[in-house]
Amino acid sequence: MTEPHPLITAYLDNALSEAEYEELLAWLKAHPDHLRAFVEANVFEQQVRSAVVGEVRRESAGAFVQDEESRRRNPGRDTAGGLMDRFVWPWRSWAMAGAGVLVAGAMIIWWMGQGAGLRPTIASTQGEVQILRDGQRIPANTGEPIRPGERIRTGPNASAELRLADGTSIRMDGSTDVGFLPGKAARQVQVKTGMVRCDVAKQPPGQPLVFQTPHADLTVLGTAFDLLAAPVESRARVHQGRVHWADGGPGVEVAAGEACTADSQGIQAWQPVCNLDFRTLKAVPPQLETVFCNEESLLTARRRIVPAPNGIRLEDGGLRFATLPHAFGEHGLAVTRWTEPVGGDVAIEVELSAAAKVDGDSTPPADPASERNPNWSLQIAVDGDSFDGYRVVFAAPKYPNGIEVDSIHPVEWMLLARDPRPMPEAGDHTLRVEKRRSQLRVWVDRELRIDTALSYPLAPDRKRTFALSEYGAGPLIRSLRVWRGGRD
Amino acid sequence: MLNEQEQERFMRLWAESQQAVVNYIHATVRDGAAAKDLAQDTALVLFRRFGEYDGDRPFLAWALGVAQHQVRGFHRDAARSRVCFDTELLAQFTELWAETAAAATERSSALEICLERLPARPRLMVRLRYFEELKSEEIARHIGSKSAAVRVALQRIREQLRACVEQQLRMQRRTT
């Protein structure tokens, strides 16, 4: 496909000066191919114009349907006036048409002002929720309508639920900023930052709802998904239906169970590997193999890795590693690894509770105050297992006092990256490790803690899988979700 | 006055050609409001002069001939026109339009699919350009960009759409 002549482009944009117009006419006369190219460009441009106009008109189909019903109810007008009457009516009924246009114009302005039917309202709030209106921050109240052009912001520990006229629910987590655009962009919801969990009602044909983040647009026709907009990337996880995820290029279709991210490197679709809710599972899935390596041989060339099926157990509320000396009689590293290769590009999310573990006993303590275990740690390994891949070590509150990325391949311990800021000691948290090509990102809840490029060489013959491991006091793992990069 | 049968025939032929004629007027007039007026005038002239239409000729060519006359009349008005196509060039343009537009009708449904696939920002830009009929400067103000960037972006969008349409047509041909 050749680029059109700059004069043609300028003509299509109505941007020709008088001199350029003369130049264009001379160029068109210079060769028949020039005129042909000019006509083809114009024909295509006009097709685009009429298709866009048609699309917008179809979006107003409701009005046409009403009009059609009204005509059916009053059939006499057509038969009396006949074809010519319909054809020339603007001239005969000029005054009526003028008035009609005024009324229609007023209705269109009103309709645009109403956010093209989205009509968001605040269904509920918790904590500090504000509306940014006319440059002022005002407290948001339940039931309050949000006008086009306004933004809603939740405070760090606040939340809000917005409802659209069609029943769509948008639940905003804390520190989230959502805006509704005015005018023709009124079917767009801007997620400037933060997390929204959406349950989108079925949208009318040709009128998708578009969620804009700083990195990409998510187009939906009726689905449920979570969408996060963070400074370095935006990501979505689709629970139901399909969405279209694009950053200006053709984009990708993302189906239920899949996830997608967008950042400065572009967009990425993630295929589900597993979605394990350990709170409801009756048995550990067979793809999870648990092994143990004692401390003595761990950092030597002769690692003694032995099967340890009793190294993990399901208990009330999730999955937990067994207490190491109790289970194995010695200290070491317990590893639960996925037996199938998943590739090097992987995203892993672990939901955990840092509840106390009672050695040898899964009964929850009677005293709720003791349900806090400040000394928990968990490792997530990617691009290999905990022995030959990259490990992300989360630990609270002591060593390594925060998060570190390391590897113990081939034998020695190699520190690759570190964030010394302390981990939250108690409560429920979501840990996320995302590796895409050489880039590794580590998140705790919604906070990006490490964003680093890895170049440390791993064994080429390793199984490119993932693993969870721990060497001390493991938290209660509520769920494990894993996606691998790319498509089948 | 046309009888009922002739009216029906006119409406059928006009329905087939209307889009190409209206597009032609928009392409040559480059002013949305004026183009709409001229398109209505042209439709009325076509209806009134339908009795002169030679049924052996393609209706589109005849209708474009009438539209060409209307466009020339529009450009003759010195108050409206700066520089315009001379008679010969406009005639050649019209002739080529008849050929090209007739061959381009198969693109319409593919184009609708491709438009639906446009991401939000390009979609907004084409709507501002072709539905709202805003100039590049106005679009730039609306979306917080520069007019030169808008012109480049619109050209890229047109090229993307063209590539998408060609791909759609190739796929359609493979499946039929």
Side-chain angles (χ1 to χ4, degrees):
Chain A
M1 188 170 46
T2 54
E3 292 237 339
H5 192 280
L7 286 170
I8 298 180
T9 306
Y11 178 87
L12 298 181
D13 286 320
N14 295 338
L16 284 176
S17 67
E18 207 155 306
E20 285 169 333
Y21 206 110
E22 294 278 15
E23 200 184 332
L24 172 69
L25 296 183
W27 182 79
L28 291 176
K29 289 174 185 172
H31 196 282
D33 286 349
H34 295 176
L35 185 61
R36 187 170 288 279
F38 180 69
V39 170
E40 279 174 2
N42 271 281
V43 166
F44 186 71
E45 197 224 11
Q46 291 305 321
Q47 279 194 304
V48 173
R49 185 194 59 76
S50 55
V52 170
V53 171
E55 189 183 58
V56 176
R57 284 185 182 155
R58 275 195 300 279
E59 287 179 7
S60 311
F64 288 111
V65 170
Q66 275 191 340
D67 184 53
E68 193 58 33
E69 280 174 359
S70 147
R71 284 198 324 114
R72 273 203 298 271
R73 279 197 297 272
N74 303 288
R77 189 180 180 279
D78 265 355
T79 48
L83 195 58
M84 187 61 188
D85 186 52
R86 212 187 311 170
F87 196 65
V88 299
W89 74 264
W91 286 272
R92 285 197 182 171
S93 313
W94 192 250
M96 273 179 69
V101 165
L102 283 174
V103 171
M107 285 180 71
I108 287 168
I109 289 165
W110 175 85
W111 176 79
M112 284 169 66
Q114 295 300 305
L118 292 186
R119 298 203 295 281
T121 53
I122 296 170
S124 65
T125 64
Q126 189 174 18
E128 188 186 22
V129 181
Q130 295 176 325
I131 300 180
L132 194 63
R133 177 175 292 162
D134 303 326
Q136 305 276 318
R137 289 181 183 192
I138 56 170
N141 298 310
T142 301
E144 190 166 1
I146 305 157
R147 300 176 205 149
E150 293 182 347
R151 311 195 67 81
I152 315 298
R153 286 178 184 165
T154 52
N157 297 309
S159 62
E161 184 179 0
L162 313 178
R163 283 267 174 192
L164 307 187
D166 62 5
T168 292
S169 159
I170 302 172
R171 280 173 292 137
M172 299 169 65
D173 280 7
S175 302
T176 297
D177 182 329
V178 167
F180 294 87
L181 298 178
K184 290 290 172 188
R187 295 195 70 77
Q188 293 177 16
V189 181
Q190 272 188 333
V191 183
K192 201 171 174 185
T193 186
M195 169 76 97
V196 289
R197 299 167 197 277
C198 303
D199 196 343
V200 178
K202 191 165 172 53
Q203 299 297 296
Q207 295 186 63
L209 197 56
V210 179
F211 287 77
Q212 275 190 330
T213 75
H215 306 92
D217 296 339
L218 187 131
T219 305
V220 295
L221 284 166
T223 181
F225 60 90
D226 298 342
L227 175 64
L228 174 92
V232 295
E233 73 174 32
S234 297
R235 61 171 181 258
R237 184 177 155 217
V238 180
H239 303 293
Q240 208 176 57
R242 296 178 78 84
V243 303
H244 185 75
W245 183 244
D247 63 348
V252 291
E253 295 288 324
V254 187
E258 296 180 354
C260 47
T261 54
D263 61 9
S264 58
Q265 295 181 62
I267 57 173
Q268 169 80 53
W270 298 92
Q271 296 279 20
V273 174
C274 65
N275 182 1
L276 304 174
D277 187 343
F278 296 117
R279 289 166 294 194
T280 55
L281 286 180
K282 301 289 181 210
V284 176
Q287 296 97 327
L288 277 178
E289 169 196 48
T290 303
V291 294
F292 176 76
C293 179
N294 66 7
E295 196 170 25
E296 195 183 330
S297 71
L298 183 63
L299 298 179
T300 69
R302 292 185 176 182
R303 272 180 195 144
R304 200 158 57 83
I305 301 170
V306 295
N310 58 345
I312 51 169
R313 63 164 184 263
L314 284 168
E315 58 179 58
D316 191 19
L319 179 84
R320 206 191 284 272
F321 280 92
T323 306
L324 297 179
H326 274 263
F328 305 105
E330 55 185 333
H331 276 291
L333 186 67
V335 176
T336 290
R337 59 192 178 189
W338 197 251
T339 53
E340 295 161 3
V342 296
D345 286 3
V346 67
I348 300 175
E349 273 182 13
V350 174
E351 282 180 336
L352 60 83
S353 166
K357 179 164 70 169
V358 181
D359 287 352
D361 180 9
S362 61
T363 310
D367 176 11
S370 70
E371 279 195 34
R372 303 298 183 202
N373 179 5
N375 294 304
W376 66 270
S377 73
L378 185 73
Q379 303 168 7
I380 299 177
V382 293
D383 210 356
D385 66 16
S386 302
F387 304 108
D388 56 12
Y390 297 116
R391 301 190 312 175
V392 181
V393 184
F394 302 84
K398 296 179 181 168
Y399 179 84
N401 191 25
I403 306 168
E404 67 170 38
V405 181
D406 66 19
S407 177
I408 54 170
H409 165 78
V411 288
E412 73 275 31
W413 171 77
M414 285 295 295
L415 177 65
L416 305 174
R418 188 171 183 192
D419 174 11
R421 288 174 292 172
M423 287 292 295
E425 293 181 12
D428 292 353
H429 300 287
T430 302
L431 313 179
R432 180 181 169 94
V433 175
E434 179 186 309
K435 181 175 171 289
R436 188 175 168 192
R437 294 192 279 274
S438 63
Q439 200 69 23
L440 184 86
R441 288 186 179 141
V442 180
W443 309 70
V444 177
D445 299 322
R446 274 174 33 202
E447 187 182 10
L448 178 68
R449 297 288 295 264
I450 291 178
D451 187 2
T452 188
L454 298 171
S455 57
Y456 181 73
L458 301 175
D461 58 348
R462 72 194 182 283
K463 187 189 278 185
R464 302 181 85 173
T465 184
F466 65 90
L468 303 179
S469 51
E470 70 106 14
Y471 58 81
L476 186 67
I477 300 167
R478 295 196 187 283
S479 68
L480 169 67
R481 292 186 291 271
V482 181
W483 296 267
R484 59 186 167 79
R487 296 271 184 191
D488 287 328
Chain B
M1 187 70 180
L2 301 177
N3 62 33
E4 201 170 319
Q5 213 171 15
E6 286 168 327
Q7 286 184 17
E8 291 289 348
R9 184 164 164 248
F10 172 81
M11 288 308 281
R12 185 171 47 78
L13 292 167
W14 175 237
E16 287 167 7
S17 304
Q18 181 180 14
Q19 202 58 65
V21 174
V22 171
N23 285 351
Y24 165 86
I25 293 169
H26 273 271
T28 47
V29 169
R30 310 301 306 172
D31 174 335
K36 279 172 197 156
D37 288 347
L38 213 56
Q40 283 205 331
D41 290 350
T42 303
L44 201 59
V45 172
L46 285 170
F47 184 81
R48 285 178 179 154
R49 290 177 52 188
F50 188 59
E52 300 166 23
Y53 166 59
D54 173 1
D56 292 338
R57 285 185 63 204
F59 179 81
L60 176 60
W62 177 72
L64 283 173
V66 172
Q68 179 191 335
H69 185 74
Q70 295 292 119
V71 169
R72 254 205 324 264
F74 172 83
H75 282 306
R76 259 200 307 271
D77 186 340
R80 290 180 191 150
S81 183
R82 305 172 305 172
V83 186
C84 64
F85 295 168
D86 58 36
T87 308
E88 193 188 336
L89 190 60
L90 185 60
Q92 288 173 353
F93 180 92
T94 310
E95 197 178 321
L96 271 175
W97 190 280
E99 281 175 32
T100 313
T105 48
E106 63 170 355
R107 289 199 296 228
S108 298
S109 57
L111 190 54
E112 280 173 20
I113 295 168
C114 294
L115 270 175
E116 278 175 16
R117 289 180 181 175
L118 276 184
R121 192 174 164 90
R123 194 183 180 85
L124 174 63
M125 288 173 74
V126 293
R127 285 186 171 208
L128 292 174
R129 175 73 188 87
Y130 296 114
F131 184 72
E132 302 284 356
E133 297 176 354
L134 298 187
K135 293 176 181 167
S136 301
E137 295 76 17
E138 294 167 316
I139 297 172
R141 270 199 299 278
H142 195 92
I143 63 169
S145 182
K146 292 182 178 171
S147 57
V150 167
R151 280 198 284 275
V152 170
L154 282 170
Q155 181 51 35
R156 283 195 187 137
I157 294 167
R158 284 193 290 261
E159 285 169 23
Q160 274 176 15
L161 286 172
R162 191 190 285 269
C164 171
V165 164
E166 282 168 9
Q167 190 191 15
Q168 286 290 320
L169 293 177
R170 275 199 301 275
M171 281 166 57
Q172 281 172 19
R173 282 183 202 121
R174 270 206 300 272
T175 52
T176 51

